[in-house]
Amino acid sequence: MDQPLKSPGQNALEDAFHRLFELTRTAPPPSLAERLDRLARLRAAVSDNESRFEQAISADFGHRSTVETTIAETMLVLGEIKHAAKSLGKWMAPKRVATSLQFFPAKNRLLPQPLGVVGIIAPWNYPLQLTLAPAVAALAAGNRVMIKPSELVPRFSALLREVIAAKFDRTEMIVTGIEDEISRAFASLPFDHLIFTGSTRVGRLVAEAAGRNLTPVTLELGGKSPAIVDRSADIAEAAERIAYGKLLNAGQTCIAPDYALVPEASVQEFAGKVQASMQRMFGTDPDNKDYTSIVSDRHYSRLEGLVADAAARGARIMQVTTPGDPAWKSKRKFPPTIVVGATPEMAIMQEEIFGPLLPIMGYREASEPVAYINKHDRPLALYWFGKDEAARDAVLDRTVSGGVTVNDCLFHFAQMYQPMGGVGASGTGAYHGEWGFDTMSKLKPVFYRSKFNRLADLYPPYGGKIARLEKLLRFMS
């Protein structure tokens, strides 16, 4: 049966991959100096083009706050590079591992080695950070890298391709096109590791495609990350911090607080303080440069549908104006929205929101938030607000999530000494700092036998010696 013809783009993609793949099997692994040089060039690629990246991302969104791009993207990437460069010599060193007594005086070591070719499928919501932070880990670990940016940010993608091509040889790191056939073919390449950041639905497809090659994957997905406001919480403080976490990047953040669980008696007070905080931070004018646009008309319409469904099912909608207001809609700026009295039957409680909508659900008993969370997929993030340490620890003990920030939102993501990753439907695997280096490396166990070890006594013919050795091994095990 004839094989279907491949497009020129698919052929170019496969040729580029095989060129990288062949080098990982024939060339020696890059030295510390070579890896540091690659990290330095990546730092220069970001630093030298910071304003160009800001402009490209803003143009792709319709409007993107430059401050948000600086804080949530550029600074995080530069911080990852600095941390990796500073720590790389230590990370690359063979790791000492204990040796069982019966094997003395032998020794064990773990030798970090590059996996080979790492593929990165990047999302649109934080295109610079969620593309290059995994690339930092991959380069630090000595891999060669292929990046497939998102088709929803074409200006950024074209600029990234230009900038990387100017700083890196095509045998080190390349950025592919964003055409449909490239997107479909990318995950099917036999990478040595594949990193995908995006929706759970697409993550399943990526994992399925990678699984045909037994390619290990790191999936950074999403889901409905809850914010629990305990009875011991300062309501005003929790409201302000949740409002910020929800409206950063207009809610287009995989670890944004998706919904809030609040003591029933405090729901109205909390909703009012959230709205006041939102207006204090972002005002009521769609021309506010600090407030980011929704990335596409399709995404805007989806958010409108979620609000309409919640209203039709009895929720109270708190907005400064309707999302259909031409002053807002023409700029694709969705007015910050609070949905009071959300119920599980509403669409807004059944899918990840990914926008500036905050549903609030009331609870009566302290056990209700945990029970509700545990009935659903494990979230990428969980946020807890309060002063009662016993109540806090009970929630931490009884829930499983990708990560947690206590008495704030988002900031666990920025910790370079902690792993970032999901669990179950919110993802698999982790990266950041040394965790990323280890994920992108093969930590190869090596046993160094000593000439003084009596392991040869295990060889046949066994005879009486084996009984004595077996007795000794049992004693030492």
Side-chain angles (χ1 to χ4, degrees):
M1 185 175 179
D2 292 338
Q3 294 293 321
L5 292 175
K6 295 177 181 177
S7 71
Q10 286 175 298
N11 286 326
L13 178 70
E14 292 184 4
D15 289 346
F17 170 79
H18 287 298
R19 183 165 55 247
L20 295 178
F21 185 87
E22 182 66 22
L23 284 168
T24 65
R25 270 57 178 176
T26 58
S31 65
L32 172 61
E34 289 173 312
R35 300 185 200 193
L36 289 173
D37 174 64
R38 291 174 183 177
L39 291 175
R41 281 183 275 143
L42 186 61
R43 182 191 303 114
V46 176
S47 298
D48 295 349
N49 297 279
E50 185 172 348
S51 62
R52 296 180 70 199
F53 280 126
E54 289 176 355
Q55 293 166 15
I57 294 171
S58 184
D60 282 331
F61 272 72
H63 172 74
R64 176 51 157 349
S65 166
T66 57
V67 174
E68 290 183 348
T69 300
T70 298
I71 293 174
E73 303 220 52
T74 309
M75 289 177 62
L76 283 179
V77 171
L78 293 176
E80 287 274 1
I81 296 171
K82 182 178 181 180
H83 178 61
K86 179 181 177 181
S87 309
L88 190 51
K90 176 184 175 183
W91 294 347
M92 289 177 63
K95 296 173 172 33
R96 296 174 62 90
V97 181
T99 304
S100 300
L101 182 62
Q102 58 265 40
F103 296 103
F104 268 26
K107 64 182 180 181
N108 287 315
R109 295 291 186 269
L110 285 177
L111 300 185
Q113 290 184 299
L115 289 173
V117 185
V118 172
I120 299 172
I121 303 177
W124 55 264
N125 58 324
Y126 291 95
L128 182 67
Q129 185 238 123
L130 294 176
T131 300
L132 295 187
V136 171
L139 292 173
N143 298 288
R144 301 172 193 270
V145 183
M146 288 185 73
I147 296 170
K148 206 294 287 182
S150 170
E151 65 280 1
L152 286 177
V153 283
R155 297 170 184 84
F156 165 80
S157 299
L159 177 58
L160 181 69
R161 193 174 189 181
E162 171 200 324
V163 166
I164 295 301
K167 294 290 185 181
F168 288 86
D169 186 86
R170 289 182 63 80
T171 62
E172 296 173 312
M173 179 162 62
I174 62 172
V175 179
T176 72
I178 56 175
E179 297 79 14
D180 286 345
E181 69 268 21
I182 301 298
S183 299
R184 289 192 298 269
F186 193 92
S188 298
L189 294 171
F191 290 107
D192 295 293
H193 196 91
L194 181 62
I195 304 171
F196 169 80
T197 305
S199 70
T200 301
R201 179 186 65 81
V202 178
R204 289 191 173 98
L205 299 176
V206 169
E208 181 181 353
R212 298 189 189 103
N213 297 310
L214 297 181
T215 296
V217 295
T218 298
L219 300 176
E220 295 297 331
L221 308 178
K224 299 191 72 62
S225 297
I228 301 174
V229 180
D230 188 69
R231 297 184 192 281
S232 64
D234 181 318
I235 293 294
E237 181 180 84
E240 180 181 46
R241 294 175 182 180
I242 291 171
Y244 173 73
K246 169 56 76 171
L247 295 189
L248 181 72
N249 203 32
Q252 298 165 114
T253 304
C254 58
I255 57 169
D258 194 90
Y259 63 98
L261 294 160
V262 180
E264 196 171 77
S266 301
V267 165
Q268 299 305 322
E269 178 189 3
F270 176 77
K273 291 187 181 299
V274 169
Q275 186 174 54
S277 295
M278 288 177 167
Q279 292 182 16
R280 183 168 59 253
M281 286 186 278
F282 294 99
T284 59
D285 184 351
D287 288 324
N288 186 333
K289 295 187 181 300
D290 291 336
Y291 193 54
T292 293
S293 298
I294 303 302
V295 74
S296 73
D297 292 335
R298 178 174 63 85
H299 286 73
Y300 197 100
S301 296
R302 185 183 65 82
L303 296 173
E304 285 184 297
L306 293 179
V307 174
D309 174 79
R313 293 177 184 270
R316 181 164 69 91
I317 309 300
M318 298 173 63
Q319 295 173 314
V320 295
T321 186
T322 65
D325 184 333
W328 289 73
K329 193 165 188 175
S330 63
K331 300 175 178 63
R332 282 207 310 272
K333 291 195 174 183
F334 202 97
T337 302
I338 301 166
V339 179
V340 182
T343 61
E345 297 75 22
M346 296 175 183
I348 200 171
M349 293 304 299
Q350 295 178 5
E351 61 183 76
E352 185 178 8
I353 295 170
F354 230 67
L357 284 57
L358 180 68
I360 301 174
M361 297 178 69
Y363 67 86
R364 294 181 181 179
E365 302 296 330
S367 60
E368 291 177 24
V370 167
Y372 182 84
I373 292 166
N374 287 341
K375 284 181 182 178
H376 299 85
D377 289 337
R378 287 170 169 171
L380 183 56
L382 183 145
Y383 305 110
W384 186 90
F385 293 83
K387 301 172 184 175
D388 185 334
E389 294 184 1
R392 176 201 66 197
D393 292 345
V395 170
L396 294 179
D397 183 57
R398 295 182 58 204
T399 58
V400 178
S401 60
V404 177
T405 293
V406 174
N407 284 321
D408 216 323
C409 296
L410 311 179
F411 290 110
H412 65 282
F413 179 86
Q415 307 309 306
M416 294 179 195
Y417 295 93
Q418 292 262 51
M420 173 60 198
V423 57
S426 62
T428 182
Y431 68 96
H432 276 199
E434 189 172 8
W435 296 88
F437 177 88
D438 287 347
T439 293
M440 309 297 165
S441 300
K442 169 58 183 173
L443 300 181
K444 183 167 68 178
V446 180
F447 173 74
Y448 296 86
R449 178 178 169 173
S450 168
K451 65 180 180 180
F452 299 108
N453 193 276
R454 297 298 301 274
L455 291 175
D457 288 349
L458 291 171
Y459 301 168
Y462 296 119
K465 66 177 181 179
I466 197 68
R468 294 190 299 272
L469 184 58
E470 181 182 349
K471 184 177 180 180
L472 179 63
L473 291 174
R474 287 182 182 276
F475 173 75
M476 299 172 70
S477 298

